[in-house]
Amino acid sequence: MSRLKSIFDQQRKAIPLGKLLGRGGEGAVFEIVGEPDLVAKIYHPDKARERQQKIAAMVASGIQTQVSNAAFPLSPLYEGAGTFAGFTMRRIGKQKPVHQLYSPASRRNEFPNADYRLLLRTALNIARAVAAVHSTGCVVGDLNHSGILVGADATATLIDCDSFQFSKDGRIFYCSVGVPDYTPPELQGKSLENINRTPNHDAFGLGVAIFSLLFLGRHPFSGRYLGRGDMPEERAIAEYRFAYSSDKSRTQTEPPPFAPTLSYVPRELATAFEACFGPGGANNGRPKPADWISLLQRAETQLVKCTASAAHFYFSSAPNCPWCALEKAIPGFVAFPSPININPTTPLDLGQLIAAIRGVSDPGTAPALYSAMPAVQSAPSVQNKGALDASWGQFLTATLGGVAAAVLLRLGYVPPLLGVGALAAAAYFALKNPKQLHANGPRSHQLKQAWDQVDQRYRSEGDASRFNEARRQSELRIREYNDLPNEEARRLADLSRKQRELQLKYFLERFSLVNAKIKSVGSARKATLRSHGIDTAADISRQRIEQIPGFGPATAGLLLSWRSDLERRFVFNPGQPVNPSDIAQVKSDIAQRRINLETALKADLIAIRTAAAEIGRSRTDLTNRARAIWIEFKQAEADEKVRVFGDVAARRWVFGVACFAAFIVAGANSSGPRAASVTSTPPPSRSSASAPSAAPNFATGTSSSPPNVSVPGKITAQPTVTPQVGSSVQLAPPRAERLPQEPQKSTIEAAVAPLVAPPLDPPREVKPPPQPPTDSNLGVAQTVLNTAMPDPAIGRLKDLGFTASIESSWTPTALSALREFKIVNHLPPDSRLDPMTTQALQSPQAIARNRSFLGGWATDAACTQGTQLTISAQEARTEGGVCTFDAFLPSRSGWTVRGHCQVGADRWPATISFTVSGAALSWSSAKGNATYYRCR
């Protein structure tokens, strides 16, 4: 310290040094007593000898007079007997290192009123400063965040100018230092002692500084490496792995989580970053400072203000506000705090505004348009009486078709289906409403279409839902506005309760990671930490650090140890009042919200008035238009009814009688003289015919004669057997002798007693259980299947877990199990055993019950608290509510069901998706997602 008492300049004038302003690896910077605009940099003795000639050459060149935004040496300083000690330079006002501006944590304290506009203007001024240095023939060389000071007015000044590369009289004074994260790829890992730096090398460091400002402290090469192993930042730079590049297949790197991408900056800026950090940049391809100046000036004109936050500005070409997205993604993160400009004035009387909003008349529910139509008693026009209706040809064709169909059915010369088809076609043309197929179509039909169109518009444009929604939104804002004083009081009270926590936070924020000396945490790792939002001791937490690629528990422990050492130095002062900036921030937020709500309420008043006026006008205009069409429509109906074939209702009644007569003719045809020779047999019971295991086996031969069944009492009959769906057996016309006596009904009914079975329509096509050979001489009573033998389908349902036991018949329990199986396996949700269901049951890919959503579930895998959710094919029930299933929807993965859920008095429609993976069930709906574990 004694050497600092004898510092003098070239004129041997004593330079009294004052307070220490800063200390670095080369020396220290002091105030000069009596010279508020100057400071003195005093080198360490071993560094002074290295810099003496360079400083003398710089001072002699007069370079300090050419550049105003760089602190070049002004005059050399000496000590003792004339030993070079350092130099004087211009004092930089209240400017601070640039990293305190682009870091959100330090910006809140050091630049409380800074927004994105200031960051963009600062980047522009840094480019101007570098351009000015290059104009003198100097190269910055070691361009990094510590060598750039910025002010609250966005001014930028380059310091440490004594390390710049400078040439004088053919001699080059090299810049022998450099920060790895600002060093270009072609110089990574090389000794910088005697390397001739170029402006293109500076262009890389300038690009990093600009990128860090525009992307809130993120380094362009700090991202998530997609390959194997770690990717240190120095290696990423050397391999041109620009984390935000569009060429991800080459870089194998993507931006950090939640970071904005190049799509949020103008396209020409994104192109410049790609050129600066890509492989082509080393060949003098990086944007020059002059290029950045032009790009940033144009970018300033593209900034827009966010509609959601007054503190957010972003580029108009961005898909949305990136700062809003960041604040939503990272809890507690504030990209740009609201400016502390409290305006207590209210633009208008809020009470009058609220009264005006609530005073707008509610249009209410629109009455049905039919109700507004007058009762019209229209007399038909004289000229229409007796005239042919326009659709008379249609009715005449239908009538002739009906007559032809009846004749075909009666004579039986053609297959009956052809006659039935002709009758159906005739009925279609006779009963359908005439349509406007051409200009001569019925006038009433044209008018009805026009009235329907007006009615549809009336229901759409006259609906009051938009008015109700606007009113609801305004009421929510009014409620929020009235609650602002309470919210402000709550937030201020929270500040008082968290006084110790806030004091500790502000204490830790004073310790920047840049200036910290932590073992194994160098400048490159510090840059990576800053890229992930960790700038001060207050930002350090184990979870945040270990989430960064390449940072494990060991590095996290070193950083946490550094923070713990600082925390032990903290002393809580309970008497210290709450930080005024925190109070001002709360009041600023409340005031800004009050202004925003007032502006929104003004817009709500206009929207509500507009909606009410438009709804009323639409209802009036459309009602008047519909009324005119209605009167003309009723007149057209009256005119058409008096025409020949004009009354559609009368046509339908007449043709209905004709259809009934035609069916009687068809029935008489089927029971005519030839039918009298067929033996009448009692129809089989429906249940016995449809029971899959109770149907008798009829032996069919190769001849055309039908199978014979021996009935007790030696009564010979040939029953008519309806073939199963898909059967290829053709039966010849039955021939039997008429018997004088009735068959023994009681014996037959006893033999074919019905079984309980699932309703099958059409009958299922499944193979019956194996039966012993049937003797042709046995009777019906002797050939009935054993009703106690279980159905194979029921056994399969038991194997799949849908029923607990094998039922002897299709009981309601078995039918319910069948329905559950069909729902789980994406079949129609019914109890029919059709061929598709039979195939699904036999398939080895059939989904079992224990692999479906059915059963009991709990929130913990061990089910320690018992079953909390029970799901059946009808509902899902918990202790708090129930969801009833209405329909199962097709789903590629899992199951999707539509229904209604109810909790207490609240009931809402819901669409729920189930996915089962092992013992875990994923429940997904519009209300959220949840995971349960199977208990039973």
Side-chain angles (χ1 to χ4, degrees):
M1 187 66 184
S2 59
R3 62 186 287 263
L4 302 181
K5 295 180 179 179
S6 58
I7 300 296
F8 52 90
D9 60 12
Q10 288 177 312
Q11 289 76 34
R12 304 293 297 183
K13 177 184 176 182
I15 305 296
L17 302 182
K19 184 174 66 174
L20 175 67
L21 298 178
R23 185 182 300 274
E26 294 183 338
V29 178
F30 297 89
E31 290 181 341
I32 298 178
V33 179
E35 296 287 348
D37 296 333
L38 298 176
V39 294
K41 181 173 182 177
I42 306 301
Y43 288 110
H44 299 315
D46 58 330
K47 294 291 184 181
R49 288 187 296 272
E50 300 176 6
R51 293 294 177 88
Q52 182 175 1
Q53 294 182 0
K54 184 176 184 179
I55 298 304
M58 279 187 169
V59 172
S61 69
I63 194 174
Q64 66 274 15
T65 62
Q66 303 175 32
V67 181
S68 61
N69 43 12
F72 278 100
L74 299 177
S75 173
L77 296 176
Y78 304 90
E79 62 173 326
T83 304
F84 176 73
F87 61 89
T88 61
M89 59 182 176
R90 179 170 58 89
R91 183 170 186 171
I92 311 302
K94 295 183 179 180
Q95 295 182 347
K96 302 169 184 177
V98 66
H99 65 81
Q100 294 185 357
L101 175 62
Y102 60 58
S103 164
S106 59
R107 182 172 62 247
R108 185 172 62 251
N109 297 321
E110 305 297 337
F111 298 90
N113 291 323
D115 56 27
Y116 197 67
R117 295 174 298 178
L118 183 75
L119 269 63
L120 184 60
R121 177 58 61 89
T122 301
L124 174 61
N125 288 335
I126 292 174
R128 286 171 174 161
V130 176
V133 170
H134 287 178
S135 68
T136 66
C138 288
V139 176
V140 177
D142 185 21
L143 178 59
N144 64 78
H145 56 268
S146 298
I148 305 172
L149 299 183
V150 297
D153 56 353
T155 55
T157 305
L158 302 180
I159 60 173
D160 295 334
C161 299
D162 54 323
S163 69
F164 290 1
Q165 179 175 291
F166 173 74
S167 60
K168 173 74 172 175
D169 298 332
R171 180 181 177 183
I172 299 177
F173 297 93
Y174 296 107
C175 175
S176 60
V177 294
V179 176
D181 45 316
Y182 282 78
T183 302
E186 59 270 25
L187 299 183
Q188 286 286 332
K190 296 182 179 180
S191 174
L192 304 176
E193 290 288 339
N194 297 311
I195 289 183
N196 187 19
R197 305 287 187 96
T198 67
N200 192 51
H201 294 154
D202 278 356
F204 181 85
L206 175 60
V208 173
I210 293 173
F211 186 93
S212 297
L213 278 167
L214 299 188
F215 286 80
L216 304 194
R218 287 168 169 80
H219 193 277
F221 288 85
S222 181
R224 180 178 295 174
Y225 180 53
L226 304 178
R228 294 183 178 180
D230 293 336
M231 179 56 63
E233 195 167 278
E234 295 93 330
R235 179 185 165 193
I237 295 175
E239 297 177 359
Y240 298 94
R241 295 184 186 276
F242 176 36
Y244 298 77
S245 174
S246 58
D247 190 7
K248 188 182 295 186
S249 61
R250 178 187 62 80
T251 64
Q252 287 293 295
T253 311
E254 63 183 13
F258 313 122
T261 62
L262 291 183
S263 63
Y264 285 89
V265 299
R267 183 181 298 275
E268 56 183 1
L269 267 182
T271 303
F273 284 129
E274 294 271 16
C276 183
F277 304 130
N283 299 322
N284 209 32
R286 299 184 180 109
K288 299 175 176 58
D291 298 329
W292 285 115
I293 292 172
S294 300
L295 291 171
L296 295 172
Q297 283 178 334
R298 289 195 293 272
E300 277 190 318
T301 64
Q302 301 178 45
L303 285 177
V304 294
K305 190 175 184 179
C306 177
T307 57
S309 174
H312 293 179
F313 290 84
Y314 63 97
F315 296 110
S316 57
S317 59
N320 48 51
C321 177
W323 321 129
C324 288
L326 269 176
E327 291 178 351
K328 291 179 181 178
I330 306 175
F333 175 80
V334 178
F336 296 95
S338 300
I340 306 176
N341 295 318
I342 302 176
N343 183 7
T345 60
T346 304
L348 52 80
D349 188 330
L350 182 66
Q352 294 179 357
L353 177 61
I354 295 175
I357 290 175
R358 292 175 174 171
V360 180
S361 299
D362 187 349
T365 303
L369 191 57
Y370 272 109
S371 64
M373 296 299 102
V376 179
Q377 299 294 334
S378 298
S381 302
V382 176
Q383 63 268 25
N384 289 313
K385 291 183 177 180
L388 285 174
D389 183 75
S391 60
W392 68 271
Q394 170 184 317
F395 180 69
L396 184 59
T397 301
T399 304
L400 294 177
V403 172
V407 171
L408 292 174
L409 290 172
R410 179 66 182 88
L411 297 178
Y413 293 146
V414 295
L417 288 179
L418 185 60
V420 173
L423 182 63
Y428 170 75
F429 284 106
L431 304 180
K432 76 167 186 174
N433 282 328
K435 293 185 177 179
Q436 184 184 3
L437 301 178
H438 47 76
N440 297 325
R443 176 62 178 163
S444 64
H445 179 69
Q446 300 173 23
L447 292 171
K448 182 62 168 62
Q449 283 186 326
W451 195 91
D452 289 341
Q453 292 175 359
V454 173
D455 183 44
Q456 184 176 1
R457 285 188 57 192
Y458 177 85
R459 290 195 300 270
S460 165
E461 299 176 14
D463 184 64
S465 58
R466 49 181 170 152
F467 174 88
N468 296 332
E469 179 61 21
R471 173 69 64 83
R472 188 183 69 84
Q473 291 291 341
S474 66
E475 289 296 332
L476 290 176
R477 292 190 177 97
I478 292 171
R479 190 181 310 165
E480 183 180 356
Y481 188 96
N482 292 335
D483 191 55
L484 286 179
N486 296 332
E487 183 176 350
E488 180 177 354
R490 287 194 298 269
R491 291 179 61 178
L492 292 175
D494 286 342
L495 292 178
S496 299
R497 285 194 299 269
K498 298 178 180 178
Q499 180 70 331
R500 188 185 189 286
E501 179 182 342
L502 292 173
Q503 285 188 24
L504 176 60
K505 176 174 172 290
Y506 286 123
F507 174 79
L508 294 175
E509 285 180 348
R510 289 163 44 193
F511 298 93
S512 173
L513 198 62
V514 174
N515 302 323
K517 294 182 179 180
I518 306 172
K519 182 181 177 181
S520 302
V521 182
S523 59
R525 282 187 169 266
K526 291 177 182 178
T528 302
L529 290 169
R530 292 198 309 274
S531 293
H532 287 77
I534 301 176
D535 299 280
T536 67
D539 300 324
I540 292 177
S541 69
R542 182 176 297 277
Q543 182 179 6
R544 291 186 65 179
I545 294 171
E546 292 184 354
Q547 286 179 347
I548 302 174
F551 284 71
T555 306
L558 292 173
L559 291 167
L560 289 170
S561 177
W562 175 63
R563 173 182 169 129
S564 299
D565 292 341
L566 295 175
E567 287 180 348
R568 282 192 289 269
R569 293 162 52 184
F570 167 71
V571 178
F572 172 57
N573 183 4
Q576 179 179 337
V578 177
N579 193 319
S581 65
D582 289 338
I583 297 176
Q585 185 64 55
V586 171
K587 292 183 176 294
S588 174
D589 291 344
I590 297 298
Q592 186 63 49
R593 285 180 57 189
R594 183 177 288 108
I595 293 173
N596 293 341
L597 287 172
E598 289 172 350
T599 303
L601 286 173
K602 292 178 185 177
D604 286 346
L605 177 60
I606 297 174
I608 290 173
R609 286 175 173 171
T610 302
E614 289 180 350
I615 292 171
R617 183 177 63 250
S618 297
R619 290 181 182 178
T620 302
D621 292 348
L622 293 172
T623 300
N624 293 335
R625 186 180 306 178
R627 185 177 292 111
I629 297 174
W630 178 265
I631 294 173
E632 188 176 357
F633 167 65
K634 289 301 179 182
Q635 181 63 51
E637 278 190 331
D639 291 341
E640 289 171 5
K641 285 183 178 181
V642 298
R643 296 191 185 112
V644 177
F645 304 114
D647 192 341
V648 177
R651 293 205 308 252
R652 290 177 178 174
W653 188 86
V654 170
F655 198 81
V657 174
C659 287
F660 180 73
F663 280 111
I664 290 179
V665 170
N669 184 36
S670 63
S671 60
R674 286 182 296 172
S677 62
V678 180
T679 303
S680 175
T681 58
S685 170
R686 173 177 176 84
S687 59
S688 62
S690 61
S693 60
N697 287 330
F698 295 101
T700 58
T702 57
S703 65
S704 60
S705 60
N708 295 323
V709 180
S710 179
V711 181
K714 299 183 181 180
I715 301 175
T716 303
Q718 299 196 14
T720 302
V721 180
T722 303
Q724 300 280 338
V725 176
S727 173
S728 60
V729 178
Q730 300 293 331
L731 299 181
R735 291 181 298 175
E737 297 179 359
R738 183 182 298 273
L739 300 177
Q741 71 273 17
E742 291 291 330
Q744 298 180 9
K745 183 182 299 185
S746 59
T747 306
I748 297 176
E749 289 179 351
V752 290
L755 298 178
V756 178
L760 304 178
D761 187 15
R764 67 172 190 175
E765 299 179 0
V766 295
K767 295 181 179 180
Q771 301 293 330
T774 304
D775 190 342
S776 59
N777 296 323
L778 295 178
V780 173
Q782 295 172 299
T783 59
V784 173
L785 299 179
N786 185 5
T787 59
M789 180 176 293
D791 194 305
I794 302 178
R796 179 60 173 161
L797 289 174
K798 180 182 182 303
D799 294 340
L800 295 174
F802 290 94
T803 181
S805 60
I806 300 180
E807 305 287 344
S808 60
S809 61
W810 284 99
T811 63
T813 302
L815 293 176
S816 177
L818 179 63
R819 182 174 182 270
E820 286 187 349
F821 169 81
K822 297 185 71 170
I823 290 173
V824 166
N825 286 270
H826 306 289
L827 298 172
D830 54 40
S831 300
R832 296 172 54 191
L833 189 61
D834 49 25
M836 184 181 299
T837 306
T838 302
Q839 183 178 1
L841 276 169
Q842 296 172 352
S843 171
Q845 284 77 35
I847 302 174
R849 193 177 193 277
N850 60 1
R851 292 194 290 117
S852 72
F853 60 90
L854 301 173
W857 307 88
T859 54
D860 62 322
C863 298
T864 55
Q865 299 180 356
T867 301
Q868 297 162 324
L869 170 67
T870 303
I871 307 178
S872 67
Q874 292 79 30
E875 65 180 16
R877 181 175 295 275
T878 65
E879 293 181 358
V882 61
C883 291
T884 305
F885 302 156
D886 298 335
F888 286 86
L889 309 177
S891 177
R892 293 185 177 180
S893 61
W895 299 267
T896 302
V897 61
R898 181 182 294 139
H900 289 79
C901 294
Q902 183 169 359
V903 176
D906 295 335
R907 179 178 171 84
W908 65 94
T911 300
I912 307 166
S913 295
F914 300 120
T915 304
V916 175
S917 177
L921 168 74
S922 176
W923 173 300
S924 177
S925 69
K927 294 287 186 179
N929 302 327
T931 301
Y932 297 91
Y933 300 92
R934 183 178 295 279
C935 292
R936 57 182 175 82

